[in-house]
Amino acid sequence: MQILECIDRVGQKYGYDTELMNALKRCIPVMIEGKTEEDINLLMDTLERVQIYTFDDQPEQEEIDAIIRRKINGRNNHVKTIECDKGEYGKKVSPGSYISEPIFDDDMNIIDRVGFIYVTNLYSSSETSKFYGTKINLSHLIHELGHAWGAQKGEFQQEESGDYTMTIGTSKFHNRVDRNGKIAEETGIEGLYMEEALNSIEEENALYRLFEINDFRSIPGYVQSNYQGTMTEMMRYFVQKFGEETLGKIRIQKDRSKIEKLQEIFDETNFMKGMDGIDYYSEKEKKLNSAQDTSMSDSAKKRIKDFFEKYRSLYLMPHKKQDFLGHLDKVMEQLFNFTSIKYSYDIANEDIKQSYYQTLSSILAEGYAPINQAVAIMKEHKKQEIPQVTLCGLARQALEDKIRIGEVTVLPEEKRISDREEKTIDESSI
């Protein structure tokens, strides 16, 4: 099998140990199941390009930085990089990640890239390690390979000005370049949370095929990420309604044609139109602040109040101005950030529980409502596309059939069935 030969080749290239090699030979085949030949080739290219590092203990940032410096090998010494604030995302060093850096020449043109993956091993005595049959954290390995795969095609796109975009799956990291000052500054990110949700779904599906299970929670000791749950459920619902190819093609092939056709549909939904109304965000704000009227402790109330004030622009500013994927990504960012504060709600207490559900449902509605309304609009459009069956049409078709087989000659114009006599009939009566 070509993919296994590729794994052997990169294993020798990077000096992977037997345990990592075996893990790759188990994970890669289930990751590519159902994928196109072009997608599979991109994954093989990814394996060739991206070295994988494993750590027995979760690495410190200094250890990750050391790998970056070694990979870049002094080629960016003339460049100053500035990252933008990612909020709750990335506040701590992750136990696994795909990391990529552009390489600049003296004129700040991107001439190369370096990328690598690192994952933290499981403790050999852990339940998860025993279930996996290896200390390699297979779920993290699959997840980070998924990001790297999504970055293989068109990862760095640079404009004449020097500004560039780094694309990993559905996520785009926008960067402004000062050629004279040798500065690359990250100015904005879009699609990040959708990428994490979609990649988590791919991770789960690969684990299901690998272990012949249907729920990741059945894996002993499995630690659920902040992406799994409300984020992945919403993303899975979107995929279920509009098809895997709609976003799958964006992630791997950078093909946006299918989602662009859907954009006009989403613009038609009452929910997206209603977000422009003056009352929408004032009503939502009441729900977000509902905890202040409960029996919650003063310290918990303050944490929640401070949280929504800090992220006011995320939760209480119009997202209608973006395309629908941009809007959906903001909904998922709200869900992701909310996980950092949700345990302030003591849902064993009834009035606090009601506040929690009011808050959560106000966020969920921004994703599910337009999806459901878009589906309804598409069904209505499909109905309207069904050609009307008419008496005149049936008669004309019958006549044309007879002419074709030579049973009758063409009638004079005045003796044909007049369009004015046409009567629409119900399709069920035919």
Side-chain angles (χ1 to χ4, degrees), residues 55-60 63 92-96 118 120-121 123:
F55 291 88
D56 285 331
D57 296 303
Q58 184 166 322
E60 299 291 335
E63 295 175 270
K92 299 177 181 177
V93 176
S94 170
Y118 75 85
T120 305
N121 290 334
Y123 291 117

Side-chain angles (χ1 to χ4, degrees), residues 163-405:
D163 296 350
Y164 69 93
T165 301
M166 180 173 74
T167 303
I168 301 175
T170 63
S171 61
K172 290 179 179 291
F173 298 78
H174 300 286
N175 293 264
R176 182 170 54 243
V177 171
D178 176 353
R179 290 189 187 274
N180 294 324
K182 314 298 183 189
I183 300 170
E185 181 181 4
E186 194 174 70
T187 56
I189 305 170
E190 57 181 294
L192 174 62
Y193 299 89
M194 284 184 55
E195 167 63 14
E196 291 292 3
L198 284 164
N199 197 38
S200 294
I201 291 171
E202 289 290 325
E203 170 199 333
E204 291 169 16
N205 290 340
L207 289 173
Y208 297 161
R209 290 190 287 267
L210 181 59
F211 296 110
E212 298 182 344
I213 56 176
N214 56 20
D215 190 336
F216 62 83
R217 285 172 284 260
S218 64
I219 298 173
Y222 183 92
V223 179
Q224 183 174 321
S225 75
N226 286 340
Y227 314 129
Q228 293 170 300
T230 52
M231 279 178 65
T232 51
E233 285 167 11
M234 183 178 289
M235 199 73 261
R236 202 185 293 275
Y237 189 73
F238 181 99
V239 170
Q240 175 193 338
K241 294 299 180 183
F242 302 113
E244 289 185 13
E245 282 195 347
T246 303
L247 295 178
K249 281 186 171 293
I250 296 176
R251 285 199 71 227
I252 307 299
Q253 298 295 343
K254 309 305 184 287
D255 179 354
R256 299 181 65 87
S257 57
K258 287 186 176 290
I259 195 63
E260 285 171 358
K261 291 177 182 177
L262 283 173
Q263 181 57 44
E264 291 182 9
I265 301 293
F266 284 113
D267 289 342
E268 289 181 45
T269 62
N270 290 333
F271 190 90
M272 295 302 287
K273 291 176 182 177
M275 291 184 81
D276 278 342
I278 58 173
D279 294 332
Y280 178 79
Y281 283 102
S282 62
E283 288 301 314
K284 183 181 179 183
E285 187 165 17
K286 289 178 185 176
K287 293 175 182 177
L288 298 184
N289 289 330
S290 61
Q292 306 306 315
D293 298 323
T294 68
S295 56
M296 183 182 289
S297 69
D298 289 342
S299 60
K301 286 180 180 179
K302 186 177 187 307
R303 278 197 303 273
I304 292 170
K305 183 179 180 181
D306 290 347
F307 173 84
F308 286 121
E309 278 301 315
K310 179 179 179 181
Y311 294 113
R312 185 176 183 83
S313 62
L314 173 64
Y315 288 90
L316 294 169
M317 293 293 282
H319 304 143
K320 173 70 168 60
K321 306 304 177 187
Q322 307 174 73
D323 62 24
F324 183 73
L325 287 190
H327 165 78
L328 189 60
D329 189 62
K330 288 297 183 185
V331 175
M332 293 193 174
E333 185 177 358
Q334 291 180 60
L335 291 171
F336 178 84
N337 283 8
F338 186 63
T339 60
S340 68
I341 198 70
K342 69 178 183 179
Y343 295 110
S344 296
Y345 294 81
D346 178 12
I347 59 173
N349 182 301
E350 189 58 35
D351 70 325
I352 298 175
K353 177 181 172 182
Q354 290 305 314
S355 170
Y356 172 80
Y357 284 121
Q358 275 189 56
T359 302
L360 182 59
S361 64
S362 71
I363 303 169
L364 292 172
E366 292 183 0
Y368 284 107
I371 290 173
N372 289 331
Q373 290 173 15
V375 170
I377 290 171
M378 289 172 67
K379 286 181 179 177
E380 189 60 34
H381 285 186
K382 192 168 286 188
K383 283 182 186 177
Q384 293 172 7
E385 289 172 4
I386 297 174
Q388 284 190 326
V389 181
T390 64
L391 288 172
C392 180
L394 290 172
R396 185 181 292 115
Q397 185 61 51
L399 178 61
E400 288 173 356
D401 290 344
K402 287 188 176 183
I403 291 170
R404 246 193 325 270
I405 61 176

